[in-house]
Amino acid sequence: MNTLGQWLGIPWRRSVLAAAAGALPMLTFPGPSLWWFAYVALVPWILLARTAPTGRRALYDGWWGGFGYMLAVHHWLLPNLHVFTFVIAALLGALWAPWGWLVRRLLGGAPGRGRVAGALLVLPSGWLAVELVRSWQGLGGPWGMLGAGQWQVSPALRLASVGGVWLLSFLLVAVNVAVAVLVAVRAARVPAVAGLLVAAAAGSAAWAWAPRPEVRGEVRIAVVQPGVVHGPDRRFAREEELTRRLAGQDLDLIVWGESSIGFDLLARPDLAGRVAELSRLTDTPLLVNVDAQRSDRPGIYKSSVLVGPGGVTGDRYDKMRLVPFGEYVPARSLLGWATSVGEAAGEDRRRGTRQVVMDLG
């Protein structure tokens, strides 16, 4: 332990270890999708922060862990934002600095049962406070929420039907805190075990009593996604080719991927006519996504448009939750330089203002 303490005494080594520990929850998201790992993924980070020699070092452990978490969960942005991805991760990672301090304050040294019991409530609440700030629409809405890694677990989905992803994140952090206590604080195992039992009871209660959706019927939906095709004309032609293969498949809806059409259909009746012809050929309405300058109002919108055999139906949904940097640049006057180092949006997309229900008959 003394050797390990000496090794961790070098600040940069401790920072690298904190970033690596913070990145571990990424394994619970697609594609690894190791959902079960979420119940222990935070344990190394918690164990590191609780041993911080000072409160200031605990702040750094929280910050570096948050940096690792943000970078790992958003690594898919690297081809688009390049070095700016690291800047985003560093800025958002700072939100976990107080959380790291709380870990040391509540679990550092030899905490008694009272501090451990408090940690089982305060640390999950602190994590939720961070997720709440990150979910602000100005930052693009909720991305990489810890509880979202449980998307394929039926009992977890029942919990989400009661308390949303927030309840899942809370229980996951609480379980991780309890496991960390069982590993490192043997004298306070009773509240840790009690915390695990409460989490298990909550999951069991949700499984037994949460409302179950009633199945009223089935729909057959085909998704047309051509992959990376450069140029809006070539992409449209490829989507058209793929859609023709769906004729005679007895479908209820055909969906083209996001940004599938790079032209405003109101300004291009020829393209609208070609989509309508595909609807007649397949005897199925098409839901397409337009990413283009609008002809009926200023600005670029990302709009889902329903097209039937007779053409555009008039039903249109303008995307409300835009992806930061990919579809708009927050505080463009300060961060607009991101467009020069990556593929950030050259022009901000406009947000929709309401949800839309489209009737397929």
Side-chain angles (χ1 to χ4, degrees):
M1 289 298 294
N2 186 40
T3 302
L4 178 61
Q6 291 177 349
W7 191 88
L8 291 176
I10 300 177
W12 71 265
R13 289 179 177 175
R14 190 179 184 97
S15 298
V16 171
L17 187 60
L24 291 177
M26 183 272 293
L27 299 175
T28 68
F29 294 93
S33 296
L34 304 178
W35 62 267
W36 50 267
F37 187 59
Y39 297 90
V40 295
L42 299 179
V43 171
W45 188 2
I46 294 172
L47 294 178
L48 180 67
R50 72 175 291 271
T51 62
T54 64
R56 181 176 182 179
R57 182 61 243 186
L59 289 170
Y60 282 118
D61 288 346
W63 189 347
W64 277 100
F67 168 78
Y69 181 72
M70 285 289 91
L71 185 62
V73 172
H74 297 86
H75 70 278
W76 51 275
L77 288 173
L78 282 169
N80 302 98
L81 298 182
H82 307 301
V83 68
F84 200 74
T85 308
F86 294 88
V87 177
I88 297 173
L91 292 174
L92 294 179
L95 295 172
W96 274 276
W99 189 79
W101 182 88
L102 284 173
V103 171
R104 180 182 182 274
R105 177 67 180 83
L106 295 170
L107 297 180
R113 295 182 178 182
R115 279 169 57 188
V116 170
L120 290 171
L121 294 175
V122 174
L123 293 181
S125 300
W127 185 281
L128 283 189
V130 175
E131 292 201 338
L132 179 63
V133 173
R134 290 200 302 114
S135 299
W136 177 49
Q137 181 57 46
L139 296 176
W143 288 84
M145 311 285 277
L146 183 65
Q150 305 299 297
W151 61 274
Q152 75 274 50
V153 183
S154 295
L157 294 179
R158 295 277 176 82
L159 280 173
S161 72
V162 176
V165 70
W166 313 101
L167 181 56
L168 295 181
S169 293
F170 185 95
L171 289 177
L172 285 174
V173 177
V175 170
N176 276 270
V177 171
V179 173
V181 170
L182 290 176
V183 171
V185 189
R186 296 183 178 181
R189 286 180 172 177
V190 172
V193 173
L196 292 175
L197 292 176
V198 169
S204 300
W207 176 263
W209 296 318
R212 292 170 171 78
E214 182 180 352
V215 178
R216 293 293 184 89
E218 296 180 352
V219 293
R220 287 171 54 85
I221 300 175
V223 179
V224 175
Q225 181 63 278
V228 179
V229 180
H230 297 289
D233 292 295
R234 293 178 59 191
R235 184 168 64 249
F236 187 94
R238 177 59 176 162
E239 290 163 334
E240 191 176 30
E241 174 190 353
L242 293 174
T243 304
R244 290 184 179 279
R245 302 179 186 178
L246 299 174
Q249 297 294 318
D250 189 25
L251 300 169
D252 296 294
L253 180 67
I254 298 173
V255 179
W256 285 12
E258 190 170 3
S259 302
S260 50
I261 299 180
F263 307 96
D264 181 20
L265 292 180
L266 295 178
R268 292 291 303 271
D270 57 321
L271 296 182
R274 287 164 63 180
V275 178
E277 192 275 329
L278 292 173
S279 178
R280 292 190 293 270
L281 175 67
T282 59
D283 192 27
T284 309
L286 277 75
L287 185 66
V288 299
N289 187 263
V290 177
D291 182 5
Q293 184 79 36
R294 291 277 288 269
S295 59
D296 57 340
R297 65 179 66 176
I300 300 177
Y301 288 80
K302 302 197 72 171
S303 305
S304 293
V305 180
L306 188 64
V307 182
V312 177
T313 65
D315 293 324
R316 185 186 195 109
Y317 166 72
D318 296 323
K319 187 175 181 179
M320 299 169 64
R321 289 193 178 275
L322 300 178
V323 180
F325 298 99
E327 296 169 351
Y328 76 100
V329 176
R332 183 176 285 272
S333 59
L334 296 176
L335 303 178
W337 57 271
T339 60
S340 63
V341 297
E343 299 179 9
E347 179 178 346
D348 291 347
R349 272 53 177 169
R350 305 289 183 91
R351 287 187 175 86
T353 57
R354 64 187 181 91
Q355 296 177 330
V356 176
V357 176
M358 300 182 183
D359 186 1
L360 299 180

